[in-house]
């Protein structure tokens, strides 16, 4: 948050989505970042990657093959469009999604890189002026340890990132990340 790691947070090979001035980035699989890169001001972790460089990922791990409520985030190829989606589950009107179904959804929306943020009772989307816009499986919003908040100021169309994904990826690699 604000360019600093939260106390007690740990480095891992789990993917994340990161944001900074005029930049956004979805971490590729098996990449470990040992220090907060100078351009990152905000980041949130997730798992697994759903789409990497336009290729839908497959996962045979049991959490991914069972339908659950899910929350996901992705970026367009040029890194200028953020896609956020939440899928309800565990009730008669919605059974949730598998990771493969989420990858198909995000690709259909236009995401070139995407990841699963969370699932189950933690899957919730809140919009100012509307409140919670989905039906959390717990029947209400759950207190969680992390979240992704998008705060827009001003009016009119949103601004955009100036760097392409490839430029951002190169900068991450050049900063000493391995992957």
């Amino acid at each position: 948050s604000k360019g600093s790691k939260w106390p007690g947070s740990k480095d891992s090979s789990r993917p994340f989505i990161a944001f900074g001035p005029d930049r956004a980035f979805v971490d590729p699989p098996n990449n470990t970042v040992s220090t907060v890169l100078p351009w990152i001001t905000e980041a949130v972790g997730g798992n697994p990657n759903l789409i990497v460089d336009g290729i839908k990922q497959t996962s045979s791990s049991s959490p991914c093959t069972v339908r659950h409520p899910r929350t996901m985030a992705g970026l367009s190829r040029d890194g200028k469009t953020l896609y956020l989606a939440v899928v309800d589950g565990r009730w008669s009107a919605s059974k949730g999604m598998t990771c493969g179904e989420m990858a198909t959804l995000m690709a259909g929306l236009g995401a070139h890189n995407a990841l699963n943020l969370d699932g189950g009772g933690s899957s919730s989307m809140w919009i100012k002026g509307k409140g919670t816009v989905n039906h959390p499986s717990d029947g209400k919003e759950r207190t969680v340890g992390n979240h992704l908040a998008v705060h827009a100021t001003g009016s009119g169309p949103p601004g955009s990132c100036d760097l392409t994904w490839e430029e951002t990826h190169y900068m991450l690699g050049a900063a000493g990340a391995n992957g």
Side-chain angles (χ1 to χ4, degrees), residues 7-8 12 17 22 43 45 66 72 75-76 85 96 113-114 118 122 135-136 158 161 167-168 173-175 177 179:
S12 74
I17 187 166
D22 298 320
V66 178
M72 58 212 94
L75 293 169
S76 60
N113 289 286
D118 205 347
S122 299
H135 297 90
C161 298
E167 290 170 317
T168 306

Side-chain angles (χ1 to χ4, degrees), residues 1-6 9 16-25 33 35-45 147-151 161 168 172:
S1 177
K2 297 180 183 173
S4 297
K5 287 176 62 173
W6 281 12
S9 63
F16 60 88
I17 187 166
F19 303 92
D22 298 320
R23 297 184 198 186
F25 172 74
V33 178
T35 61
V36 177
L37 301 171
W39 66 267
I40 296 176
T41 58
E42 309 297 333
V44 64
H147 69 279
L148 175 61
V150 179
H151 178 80
C161 298
T168 306
L172 178 67

Side-chain angles (χ1 to χ4, degrees), residues 57-163:
Q57 305 297 292
T58 58
S59 176
S60 58
S61 67
S62 61
C64 272
T65 59
V66 178
R67 288 186 168 156
H68 287 292
R70 310 274 187 177
T71 305
M72 58 212 94
L75 293 169
S76 60
R77 181 180 180 91
D78 64 6
K80 294 181 179 185
T81 303
L82 171 66
Y83 299 95
L84 299 172
V86 65
V87 175
D88 290 334
R90 299 182 184 156
W91 60 295
S92 62
S94 179
K95 303 291 183 200
M97 285 188 161
T98 64
C99 290
E101 292 167 333
M102 290 190 309
T104 298
L105 171 65
M106 293 303 282
L109 292 172
H112 188 71
N113 289 286
L115 76 152
N116 177 56
L117 292 178
D118 205 347
S122 299
S123 286
S124 185
M125 186 175 286
W126 184 91
I127 297 175
K128 185 177 180 178
K130 296 183 183 232
T132 303
V133 296
N134 70 309
H135 297 90
S137 64
D138 289 354
K140 62 180 180 172
E141 290 180 86
R142 179 189 286 182
T143 301
V144 294
N146 67 8
H147 69 279
L148 175 61
V150 179
H151 178 80
T153 59
S155 62
S160 62
C161 298
D162 294 329
L163 297 176

